[in-house]
Amino acid sequence: MSILVTGGAGYIGSHTVQALLDGGYNVVVVDNLTTGHIESINQAQVKFYSCDIRDKEMLSRIMREHSVESVIHFAASSLVGESMKDPAKYYDNNVYGTQCLLEAMSSQNVKHIVFSSTAATYGNPKQLPILETEPTMPTNTYGETKLTMERMMRWFEQAYGMTYVALRYFNAAGASENGAIGEDHTPETHLIPLVLQVALNQREHISVFGDDYDTSDGTCIRDYIHVSDLADAHVKALQHLQDGGTSDVFNLGNGNGYSVLEIIEAARVVTGHSIPARMEARREGDPAILIADASKAREQLKWVPQWTDIQQIISSAWKWHQANPKGYANE
Ligand code: UFG
């Protein structure tokens, strides 16, 4: 019996693959490698297929050949800014891709799916910190497609009995403690890796997208959660479903909000670099504040984040970026 990980060569996917291997699971990865990195996969331990999730036939064959019993689904386009400019790409890759995956699962009688969802499903929340019961009103196409994917799973459960856990994560950050894998996007759009590129003298400054939000210093506030803590939550969610647990939705975050300026300041302390910042216009689709109430995951999945200090989280990313200044292209 195996666990199929879609998008397992991506940032959060590769850390989850490592956590599954550490937990003794047989792992099969499919990834079309448009944003994932083959170097992040240990092919001695993992069966890897270069496959797009919209290829239903190939997915079905892989599930059959490896006796896949559960899926962890990461494969998706995931950039807020891009999703506002190219919504069709997000509906095709995310929504239609998930439809193909669920169809392949139902054809092969695969019963469980853990799904990589997002805080972007909430939009601008009315209450902070955000509970799973908060209304979902996405402010961007990315969040809208992830919400649609969650809902699709609910209807597939009714029709075919497959159970799901949707994990709505806040802002993933950091790198594996052993330094083997980390964050490498091209182009990079995420705050922490961009700030660290400035510290590596690869960029002259960090742009701050808006300082006129209704927050303490005017910049957006986010809840940063270490990628290894996210990986651990996926394994716990899988166990929950395999033990007969019911379908559910869980927030994953630390419950602490940091503004863009606070992240830059923390990175200055970690790196010893002055990291010049320049104020710029708001980025379309950005909610002002996203902070998680993740007590449901703590109580029901027994998930306890190990990385709660923002400087430690940034330090783990900094270690990886220093060792891999060109990302996986170094290898
Ligand atoms: N930001 C800047 N300058 C930059 C890059 C980002 O000011 O050069 C700001 C953004 O405007 C935002 C904050 O830093 O306010 C964080 O931005 P990121 O791009 O790092 O992350 P997002 O919050 O936009 O999105 C991330 C993931 C999404 C996920 C979301 C949930 O990319 O997949 O977290 O909170 F949905």
Side-chain angles (χ1 to χ4, degrees):
M1 298 291 251
S2 316
I3 310 303
L4 176 68
V5 182
T6 74
Y11 172 43
I12 306 170
S14 60
H15 286 80
T16 301
V17 167
Q18 193 53 57
L20 288 168
L21 292 173
D22 293 345
Y25 289 92
N26 288 330
V27 182
V28 181
V29 167
V30 300
D31 197 302
N32 68 7
L33 297 177
T34 52
T35 55
H37 301 278
I38 188 69
E39 300 87 347
S40 69
I41 296 294
N42 181 341
Q43 290 195 64
Q45 292 179 290
V46 169
K47 185 69 195 158
F48 175 78
Y49 291 92
S50 176
C51 168
D52 192 293
I53 55 167
R54 288 163 290 194
D55 187 343
K56 264 184 268 186
E57 300 307 318
M58 188 161 171
L59 276 185
S60 300
R61 186 168 58 73
I62 293 167
M63 289 177 190
R64 196 163 49 243
E65 275 176 17
H66 293 280
S67 306
V68 168
E69 65 136 1
S70 303
V71 171
I72 304 186
H73 179 31
F74 293 98
S77 301
S78 62
L79 299 176
V80 169
E82 182 190 57
S83 80
M84 300 300 285
K85 297 194 166 72
D86 189 1
K89 175 176 176 178
Y90 281 70
Y91 277 89
D92 185 25
N93 194 26
N94 295 2
V95 176
Y96 176 62
T98 299
Q99 178 188 327
C100 293
L101 174 67
L102 295 177
E103 282 184 69
M105 285 176 65
S106 62
S107 79
Q108 300 305 313
N109 205 23
V110 178
K111 285 293 181 202
H112 309 299
I113 178 164
V114 176
F115 172 55
S116 161
S117 191
T118 170
T121 51
Y122 294 111
N124 277 306
K126 291 195 177 59
Q127 296 211 349
L128 290 166
I130 303 171
L131 281 163
E132 290 84 353
T133 47
E134 181 72 20
T136 42
M137 283 184 281
T139 57
N140 53 64
T141 315
Y142 166 66
E144 182 70 39
T145 59
K146 286 273 174 168
L147 187 59
T148 305
M149 293 150 87
E150 285 188 9
R151 288 181 172 153
M152 203 187 285
M153 287 175 201
R154 188 157 62 84
W155 297 112
F156 271 71
E157 173 173 25
Q158 290 213 6
Y160 306 109
M162 58 177 72
T163 56
Y164 69 92
V165 164
L167 299 174
R168 290 180 179 162
Y169 8 108
F170 287 60
N171 288 56
S176 71
E177 198 158 26
N178 67 9
I181 44 181
E183 184 169 14
D184 177 5
H185 299 109
T186 308
E188 188 53 77
T189 65
H190 295 95
L191 180 64
I192 291 178
L194 286 174
V195 165
L196 296 179
Q197 285 177 4
V198 180
L200 284 170
N201 299 316
Q202 294 173 344
R203 289 175 186 270
E204 285 182 1
H205 67 272
I206 182 73
S207 302
V208 176
F209 296 144
D211 61 353
D212 56 350
Y213 285 95
D214 187 14
T215 61
S216 48
D217 63 19
T219 66
C220 287
I221 293 179
R222 294 288 182 271
D223 180 343
Y224 293 86
I225 178 80
H226 195 277
V227 65
S228 300
D229 284 326
L230 290 181
D232 175 49
H234 287 78
V235 177
K236 290 194 159 67
L238 179 68
Q239 285 163 352
H240 163 84
L241 293 176
Q242 289 179 331
D243 290 346
T246 52
S247 296
D248 216 333
V249 177
F250 297 96
N251 286 338
L252 299 178
N254 268 313
N256 301 315
Y258 294 92
S259 73
V260 173
L261 293 180
E262 285 171 338
I263 291 295
I264 297 169
E265 192 49 43
R268 288 180 181 132
V269 173
V270 167
T271 63
H273 191 286
S274 60
I275 311 184
R278 188 187 286 175
M279 298 306 156
E280 292 187 16
R282 290 183 177 197
R283 189 175 66 177
E284 213 183 342
D286 274 344
I289 307 180
L290 292 173
I291 301 172
D293 182 328
S295 42
K296 185 174 164 190
R298 287 171 178 271
E299 284 158 22
Q300 295 185 26
L301 298 178
K302 310 286 176 233
W303 175 67
V304 184
Q306 303 297 306
W307 297 74
T308 51
D309 181 276
I310 192 65
Q311 287 190 15
Q312 275 181 3
I313 293 175
I314 294 174
S315 289
S316 82
W318 179 229
K319 207 166 89 181
W320 195 79
H321 284 277
Q322 279 181 301
N324 303 274
K326 294 184 183 144
Y328 288 106
N330 277 355
E331 297 189 7

PDB file of all heavy atoms in Angstrom, residues 78 80 118-120 142 169-171 189-191 194 206-209 220 222 224 260 283 286 290, ligand 1:
ATOM      1  N   SER A  78      -0.250  28.503  -7.245  1.00  0.00           N
ATOM      2  CA  SER A  78      -0.485  29.037  -5.890  1.00  0.00           C
ATOM      3  C   SER A  78      -0.025  30.472  -5.679  1.00  0.00           C
ATOM      4  O   SER A  78       0.319  30.847  -4.560  1.00  0.00           O
ATOM      5  CB  SER A  78       0.195  28.131  -4.862  1.00  0.00           C
ATOM      6  OG  SER A  78       1.583  28.133  -5.095  1.00  0.00           O
ATOM      7  N   VAL A  80      -1.018  34.342  -5.530  1.00  0.00           N
ATOM      8  CA  VAL A  80      -2.154  35.263  -5.440  1.00  0.00           C
ATOM      9  C   VAL A  80      -2.121  36.276  -6.592  1.00  0.00           C
ATOM     10  O   VAL A  80      -3.112  36.472  -7.295  1.00  0.00           O
ATOM     11  CB  VAL A  80      -2.145  35.973  -4.067  1.00  0.00           C
ATOM     12  CG1 VAL A  80      -3.132  37.123  -4.042  1.00  0.00           C
ATOM     13  CG2 VAL A  80      -2.426  34.975  -2.948  1.00  0.00           C
ATOM     14  N   THR A 118      -5.894  26.695   1.927  1.00  0.00           N
ATOM     15  CA  THR A 118      -5.213  27.955   2.221  1.00  0.00           C
ATOM     16  C   THR A 118      -6.088  28.927   3.001  1.00  0.00           C
ATOM     17  O   THR A 118      -7.324  28.915   2.879  1.00  0.00           O
ATOM     18  CB  THR A 118      -4.794  28.632   0.897  1.00  0.00           C
ATOM     19  OG1 THR A 118      -4.336  29.956   1.163  1.00  0.00           O
ATOM     20  CG2 THR A 118      -5.957  28.753  -0.076  1.00  0.00           C
ATOM     21  N   ALA A 119      -5.425  29.794   3.739  1.00  0.00           N
ATOM     22  CA  ALA A 119      -6.112  30.894   4.423  1.00  0.00           C
ATOM     23  C   ALA A 119      -6.739  31.858   3.433  1.00  0.00           C
ATOM     24  O   ALA A 119      -7.629  32.630   3.798  1.00  0.00           O
ATOM     25  CB  ALA A 119      -5.112  31.648   5.294  1.00  0.00           C
ATOM     26  N   ALA A 120      -6.279  31.802   2.177  1.00  0.00           N
ATOM     27  CA  ALA A 120      -6.839  32.700   1.159  1.00  0.00           C
ATOM     28  C   ALA A 120      -8.307  32.370   0.871  1.00  0.00           C
ATOM     29  O   ALA A 120      -8.983  33.132   0.185  1.00  0.00           O
ATOM     30  CB  ALA A 120      -6.016  32.625  -0.125  1.00  0.00           C
ATOM     31  N   TYR A 142      -7.027  32.705  -6.721  1.00  0.00           N
ATOM     32  CA  TYR A 142      -6.350  31.552  -6.113  1.00  0.00           C
ATOM     33  C   TYR A 142      -7.191  30.975  -4.970  1.00  0.00           C
ATOM     34  O   TYR A 142      -7.497  29.777  -4.936  1.00  0.00           O
ATOM     35  CB  TYR A 142      -4.964  31.998  -5.608  1.00  0.00           C
ATOM     36  CG  TYR A 142      -4.322  31.020  -4.680  1.00  0.00           C
ATOM     37  CD1 TYR A 142      -3.944  29.763  -5.134  1.00  0.00           C
ATOM     38  CD2 TYR A 142      -4.096  31.333  -3.345  1.00  0.00           C
ATOM     39  CE1 TYR A 142      -3.364  28.849  -4.266  1.00  0.00           C
ATOM     40  CE2 TYR A 142      -3.515  30.436  -2.482  1.00  0.00           C
ATOM     41  CZ  TYR A 142      -3.150  29.193  -2.949  1.00  0.00           C
ATOM     42  OH  TYR A 142      -2.583  28.283  -2.093  1.00  0.00           O
ATOM     43  N   TYR A 169      -3.638  26.363   5.245  1.00  0.00           N
ATOM     44  CA  TYR A 169      -2.496  26.942   5.923  1.00  0.00           C
ATOM     45  C   TYR A 169      -2.361  28.417   5.658  1.00  0.00           C
ATOM     46  O   TYR A 169      -2.793  28.946   4.654  1.00  0.00           O
ATOM     47  CB  TYR A 169      -1.156  26.268   5.652  1.00  0.00           C
ATOM     48  CG  TYR A 169      -1.025  25.224   4.639  1.00  0.00           C
ATOM     49  CD1 TYR A 169      -0.362  25.514   3.451  1.00  0.00           C
ATOM     50  CD2 TYR A 169      -1.471  23.942   4.882  1.00  0.00           C
ATOM     51  CE1 TYR A 169      -0.157  24.524   2.528  1.00  0.00           C
ATOM     52  CE2 TYR A 169      -1.270  22.953   3.950  1.00  0.00           C
ATOM     53  CZ  TYR A 169      -0.621  23.248   2.775  1.00  0.00           C
ATOM     54  OH  TYR A 169      -0.413  22.291   1.856  1.00  0.00           O
ATOM     55  N   PHE A 170      -1.692  29.006   6.630  1.00  0.00           N
ATOM     56  CA  PHE A 170      -1.407  30.426   6.574  1.00  0.00           C
ATOM     57  C   PHE A 170      -0.070  30.558   5.826  1.00  0.00           C
ATOM     58  O   PHE A 170       0.070  29.939   4.785  1.00  0.00           O
ATOM     59  CB  PHE A 170      -1.539  31.032   7.979  1.00  0.00           C
ATOM     60  CG  PHE A 170      -3.014  31.109   8.358  1.00  0.00           C
ATOM     61  CD1 PHE A 170      -3.802  29.960   8.426  1.00  0.00           C
ATOM     62  CD2 PHE A 170      -3.652  32.327   8.517  1.00  0.00           C
ATOM     63  CE1 PHE A 170      -5.180  30.020   8.668  1.00  0.00           C
ATOM     64  CE2 PHE A 170      -5.026  32.405   8.777  1.00  0.00           C
ATOM     65  CZ  PHE A 170      -5.776  31.255   8.853  1.00  0.00           C
ATOM     66  N   ASN A 171       0.921  31.304   6.276  1.00  0.00           N
ATOM     67  CA  ASN A 171       2.087  31.522   5.403  1.00  0.00           C
ATOM     68  C   ASN A 171       3.225  30.556   5.704  1.00  0.00           C
ATOM     69  O   ASN A 171       3.885  30.685   6.735  1.00  0.00           O
ATOM     70  CB  ASN A 171       2.537  32.971   5.517  1.00  0.00           C
ATOM     71  CG  ASN A 171       1.566  33.903   4.824  1.00  0.00           C
ATOM     72  OD1 ASN A 171       0.372  33.906   5.136  1.00  0.00           O
ATOM     73  ND2 ASN A 171       2.049  34.657   3.863  1.00  0.00           N
ATOM     74  N   THR A 189       8.158  35.159  -5.373  1.00  0.00           N
ATOM     75  CA  THR A 189       7.245  36.271  -5.057  1.00  0.00           C
ATOM     76  C   THR A 189       6.990  36.360  -3.563  1.00  0.00           C
ATOM     77  O   THR A 189       6.329  37.295  -3.117  1.00  0.00           O
ATOM     78  CB  THR A 189       5.870  36.063  -5.747  1.00  0.00           C
ATOM     79  OG1 THR A 189       5.262  34.894  -5.187  1.00  0.00           O
ATOM     80  CG2 THR A 189       5.991  35.920  -7.247  1.00  0.00           C
ATOM     81  N   HIS A 190       7.453  35.389  -2.772  1.00  0.00           N
ATOM     82  CA  HIS A 190       7.122  35.355  -1.342  1.00  0.00           C
ATOM     83  C   HIS A 190       8.061  36.234  -0.525  1.00  0.00           C
ATOM     84  O   HIS A 190       9.252  36.345  -0.829  1.00  0.00           O
ATOM     85  CB  HIS A 190       7.164  33.918  -0.827  1.00  0.00           C
ATOM     86  CG  HIS A 190       6.117  33.053  -1.453  1.00  0.00           C
ATOM     87  ND1 HIS A 190       6.372  32.260  -2.551  1.00  0.00           N
ATOM     88  CD2 HIS A 190       4.804  32.899  -1.174  1.00  0.00           C
ATOM     89  CE1 HIS A 190       5.263  31.639  -2.902  1.00  0.00           C
ATOM     90  NE2 HIS A 190       4.285  32.010  -2.089  1.00  0.00           N
ATOM     91  N   LEU A 191       7.494  36.805   0.521  1.00  0.00           N
ATOM     92  CA  LEU A 191       8.209  37.831   1.274  1.00  0.00           C
ATOM     93  C   LEU A 191       9.538  37.335   1.856  1.00  0.00           C
ATOM     94  O   LEU A 191      10.576  37.970   1.630  1.00  0.00           O
ATOM     95  CB  LEU A 191       7.294  38.362   2.396  1.00  0.00           C
ATOM     96  CG  LEU A 191       7.928  39.447   3.265  1.00  0.00           C
ATOM     97  CD1 LEU A 191       8.226  40.696   2.430  1.00  0.00           C
ATOM     98  CD2 LEU A 191       7.005  39.796   4.433  1.00  0.00           C
ATOM     99  N   LEU A 194      12.378  36.539  -0.583  1.00  0.00           N
ATOM    100  CA  LEU A 194      12.821  37.773  -1.259  1.00  0.00           C
ATOM    101  C   LEU A 194      13.681  38.622  -0.333  1.00  0.00           C
ATOM    102  O   LEU A 194      14.708  39.169  -0.748  1.00  0.00           O
ATOM    103  CB  LEU A 194      11.610  38.591  -1.736  1.00  0.00           C
ATOM    104  CG  LEU A 194      10.882  38.032  -2.959  1.00  0.00           C
ATOM    105  CD1 LEU A 194       9.620  38.855  -3.244  1.00  0.00           C
ATOM    106  CD2 LEU A 194      11.793  38.037  -4.183  1.00  0.00           C
ATOM    107  N   ILE A 206      14.019  45.389  -0.718  1.00  0.00           N
ATOM    108  CA  ILE A 206      12.736  44.685  -0.708  1.00  0.00           C
ATOM    109  C   ILE A 206      11.631  45.722  -0.907  1.00  0.00           C
ATOM    110  O   ILE A 206      11.649  46.793  -0.274  1.00  0.00           O
ATOM    111  CB  ILE A 206      12.529  43.868   0.597  1.00  0.00           C
ATOM    112  CG1 ILE A 206      11.211  43.096   0.563  1.00  0.00           C
ATOM    113  CG2 ILE A 206      12.630  44.740   1.852  1.00  0.00           C
ATOM    114  CD1 ILE A 206      11.210  41.905  -0.347  1.00  0.00           C
ATOM    115  N   SER A 207      10.686  45.411  -1.798  1.00  0.00           N
ATOM    116  CA  SER A 207       9.534  46.293  -1.993  1.00  0.00           C
ATOM    117  C   SER A 207       8.481  45.945  -0.948  1.00  0.00           C
ATOM    118  O   SER A 207       8.191  44.765  -0.744  1.00  0.00           O
ATOM    119  CB  SER A 207       8.931  46.071  -3.382  1.00  0.00           C
ATOM    120  OG  SER A 207       9.904  46.308  -4.370  1.00  0.00           O
ATOM    121  N   VAL A 208       7.925  46.957  -0.312  1.00  0.00           N
ATOM    122  CA  VAL A 208       6.837  46.729   0.659  1.00  0.00           C
ATOM    123  C   VAL A 208       5.540  47.121  -0.044  1.00  0.00           C
ATOM    124  O   VAL A 208       5.349  48.283  -0.398  1.00  0.00           O
ATOM    125  CB  VAL A 208       7.051  47.569   1.934  1.00  0.00           C
ATOM    126  CG1 VAL A 208       5.875  47.408   2.877  1.00  0.00           C
ATOM    127  CG2 VAL A 208       8.357  47.171   2.612  1.00  0.00           C
ATOM    128  N   PHE A 209       4.664  46.133  -0.240  1.00  0.00           N
ATOM    129  CA  PHE A 209       3.452  46.364  -1.030  1.00  0.00           C
ATOM    130  C   PHE A 209       2.342  46.970  -0.173  1.00  0.00           C
ATOM    131  O   PHE A 209       1.456  46.262   0.293  1.00  0.00           O
ATOM    132  CB  PHE A 209       2.979  45.066  -1.675  1.00  0.00           C
ATOM    133  CG  PHE A 209       3.944  44.488  -2.674  1.00  0.00           C
ATOM    134  CD1 PHE A 209       4.098  43.115  -2.798  1.00  0.00           C
ATOM    135  CD2 PHE A 209       4.702  45.316  -3.501  1.00  0.00           C
ATOM    136  CE1 PHE A 209       4.982  42.577  -3.729  1.00  0.00           C
ATOM    137  CE2 PHE A 209       5.588  44.781  -4.429  1.00  0.00           C
ATOM    138  CZ  PHE A 209       5.728  43.410  -4.539  1.00  0.00           C
ATOM    139  N   CYS A 220       0.780  44.777   5.686  1.00  0.00           N
ATOM    140  CA  CYS A 220      -0.050  43.576   5.881  1.00  0.00           C
ATOM    141  C   CYS A 220       0.518  42.662   6.953  1.00  0.00           C
ATOM    142  O   CYS A 220       1.738  42.515   7.083  1.00  0.00           O
ATOM    143  CB  CYS A 220      -0.122  42.776   4.579  1.00  0.00           C
ATOM    144  SG  CYS A 220      -1.143  43.531   3.334  1.00  0.00           S
ATOM    145  N   ARG A 222       0.646  38.788   8.565  1.00  0.00           N
ATOM    146  CA  ARG A 222       0.477  37.369   8.227  1.00  0.00           C
ATOM    147  C   ARG A 222       0.952  36.499   9.395  1.00  0.00           C
ATOM    148  O   ARG A 222       1.764  36.924  10.215  1.00  0.00           O
ATOM    149  CB  ARG A 222       1.305  37.004   6.981  1.00  0.00           C
ATOM    150  CG  ARG A 222       0.855  37.682   5.703  1.00  0.00           C
ATOM    151  CD  ARG A 222      -0.468  37.109   5.202  1.00  0.00           C
ATOM    152  NE  ARG A 222      -0.893  37.727   3.948  1.00  0.00           N
ATOM    153  CZ  ARG A 222      -1.639  38.825   3.873  1.00  0.00           C
ATOM    154  NH1 ARG A 222      -2.038  39.455   4.968  1.00  0.00           N
ATOM    155  NH2 ARG A 222      -2.004  39.303   2.693  1.00  0.00           N
ATOM    156  N   TYR A 224       3.050  33.281  10.102  1.00  0.00           N
ATOM    157  CA  TYR A 224       4.056  32.444   9.437  1.00  0.00           C
ATOM    158  C   TYR A 224       4.220  31.130  10.188  1.00  0.00           C
ATOM    159  O   TYR A 224       4.395  31.124  11.417  1.00  0.00           O
ATOM    160  CB  TYR A 224       5.389  33.209   9.341  1.00  0.00           C
ATOM    161  CG  TYR A 224       5.252  34.399   8.415  1.00  0.00           C
ATOM    162  CD1 TYR A 224       4.772  35.625   8.896  1.00  0.00           C
ATOM    163  CD2 TYR A 224       5.526  34.288   7.056  1.00  0.00           C
ATOM    164  CE1 TYR A 224       4.590  36.712   8.043  1.00  0.00           C
ATOM    165  CE2 TYR A 224       5.341  35.372   6.196  1.00  0.00           C
ATOM    166  CZ  TYR A 224       4.879  36.575   6.691  1.00  0.00           C
ATOM    167  OH  TYR A 224       4.691  37.633   5.847  1.00  0.00           O
ATOM    168  N   VAL A 260       4.669  43.091   7.512  1.00  0.00           N
ATOM    169  CA  VAL A 260       5.772  43.014   6.537  1.00  0.00           C
ATOM    170  C   VAL A 260       7.013  43.689   7.122  1.00  0.00           C
ATOM    171  O   VAL A 260       8.130  43.142   7.058  1.00  0.00           O
ATOM    172  CB  VAL A 260       5.351  43.673   5.201  1.00  0.00           C
ATOM    173  CG1 VAL A 260       6.522  43.751   4.239  1.00  0.00           C
ATOM    174  CG2 VAL A 260       4.188  42.906   4.561  1.00  0.00           C
ATOM    175  N   ARG A 283      -0.452  45.383  -3.488  1.00  0.00           N
ATOM    176  CA  ARG A 283      -0.558  44.306  -4.477  1.00  0.00           C
ATOM    177  C   ARG A 283      -2.016  43.866  -4.522  1.00  0.00           C
ATOM    178  O   ARG A 283      -2.636  43.670  -3.471  1.00  0.00           O
ATOM    179  CB  ARG A 283       0.349  43.151  -4.046  1.00  0.00           C
ATOM    180  CG  ARG A 283       0.501  42.061  -5.055  1.00  0.00           C
ATOM    181  CD  ARG A 283       1.505  41.009  -4.605  1.00  0.00           C
ATOM    182  NE  ARG A 283       1.051  40.284  -3.428  1.00  0.00           N
ATOM    183  CZ  ARG A 283       1.724  39.272  -2.859  1.00  0.00           C
ATOM    184  NH1 ARG A 283       2.897  38.917  -3.345  1.00  0.00           N
ATOM    185  NH2 ARG A 283       1.245  38.660  -1.798  1.00  0.00           N
ATOM    186  N   ASP A 286      -4.520  41.294  -1.952  1.00  0.00           N
ATOM    187  CA  ASP A 286      -3.962  41.026  -0.621  1.00  0.00           C
ATOM    188  C   ASP A 286      -4.931  41.411   0.493  1.00  0.00           C
ATOM    189  O   ASP A 286      -5.274  42.592   0.635  1.00  0.00           O
ATOM    190  CB  ASP A 286      -2.684  41.854  -0.406  1.00  0.00           C
ATOM    191  CG  ASP A 286      -1.440  41.170  -0.930  1.00  0.00           C
ATOM    192  OD1 ASP A 286      -1.488  39.950  -1.188  1.00  0.00           O
ATOM    193  OD2 ASP A 286      -0.409  41.865  -1.056  1.00  0.00           O
ATOM    194  N   LEU A 290      -4.180  38.251   8.196  1.00  0.00           N
ATOM    195  CA  LEU A 290      -4.573  36.842   8.278  1.00  0.00           C
ATOM    196  C   LEU A 290      -3.832  36.215   9.459  1.00  0.00           C
ATOM    197  O   LEU A 290      -2.601  36.093   9.429  1.00  0.00           O
ATOM    198  CB  LEU A 290      -4.219  36.097   6.982  1.00  0.00           C
ATOM    199  CG  LEU A 290      -5.000  36.483   5.717  1.00  0.00           C
ATOM    200  CD1 LEU A 290      -4.409  35.790   4.491  1.00  0.00           C
ATOM    201  CD2 LEU A 290      -6.476  36.124   5.860  1.00  0.00           C
TER     202      LEU A 290
HETATM  203  N1  UFG B   1       5.022  41.309   0.241  1.00  0.00           N
HETATM  204  C1  UFG B   1       5.699  42.487   0.121  1.00  0.00           C
HETATM  205  N2  UFG B   1       6.743  42.533  -0.744  1.00  0.00           N
HETATM  206  C2  UFG B   1       7.136  41.466  -1.495  1.00  0.00           C
HETATM  207  C3  UFG B   1       6.420  40.252  -1.354  1.00  0.00           C
HETATM  208  C4  UFG B   1       5.351  40.213  -0.473  1.00  0.00           C
HETATM  209  O1  UFG B   1       5.381  43.488   0.755  1.00  0.00           O
HETATM  210  O2  UFG B   1       8.088  41.603  -2.276  1.00  0.00           O
HETATM  211  C5  UFG B   1       3.895  41.250   1.187  1.00  0.00           C
HETATM  212  C6  UFG B   1       2.594  40.839   0.535  1.00  0.00           C
HETATM  213  O3  UFG B   1       1.934  41.935  -0.039  1.00  0.00           O
HETATM  214  C7  UFG B   1       1.861  40.234   1.731  1.00  0.00           C
HETATM  215  C8  UFG B   1       3.001  39.630   2.580  1.00  0.00           C
HETATM  216  O4  UFG B   1       4.185  40.271   2.151  1.00  0.00           O
HETATM  217  O5  UFG B   1       1.244  41.233   2.453  1.00  0.00           O
HETATM  218  C9  UFG B   1       3.161  38.150   2.389  1.00  0.00           C
HETATM  219  O6  UFG B   1       3.214  37.900   1.001  1.00  0.00           O
HETATM  220  P1  UFG B   1       3.588  36.485   0.385  1.00  0.00           P
HETATM  221  O7  UFG B   1       3.563  36.644  -1.097  1.00  0.00           O
HETATM  222  O8  UFG B   1       4.824  35.964   1.012  1.00  0.00           O
HETATM  223  O9  UFG B   1       2.410  35.536   0.877  1.00  0.00           O
HETATM  224  P2  UFG B   1       0.830  35.725   0.713  1.00  0.00           P
HETATM  225  O10 UFG B   1       0.305  36.108   2.052  1.00  0.00           O
HETATM  226  O11 UFG B   1       0.462  36.572  -0.423  1.00  0.00           O
HETATM  227  O12 UFG B   1       0.380  34.276   0.270  1.00  0.00           O
HETATM  228  C10 UFG B   1       0.826  33.127   0.942  1.00  0.00           C
HETATM  229  C11 UFG B   1       0.836  31.984  -0.033  1.00  0.00           C
HETATM  230  C12 UFG B   1      -0.556  31.697  -0.480  1.00  0.00           C
HETATM  231  C13 UFG B   1      -1.474  31.536   0.694  1.00  0.00           C
HETATM  232  C14 UFG B   1      -1.384  32.702   1.631  1.00  0.00           C
HETATM  233  C15 UFG B   1      -2.223  32.460   2.833  1.00  0.00           C
HETATM  234  O13 UFG B   1       1.624  32.297  -1.162  1.00  0.00           O
HETATM  235  O14 UFG B   1      -0.537  30.499  -1.218  1.00  0.00           O
HETATM  236  O15 UFG B   1      -0.030  32.866   2.000  1.00  0.00           O
HETATM  237  O16 UFG B   1      -2.004  33.452   3.772  1.00  0.00           O
HETATM  238  F1  UFG B   1      -2.757  31.459   0.278  1.00  0.00           F
END
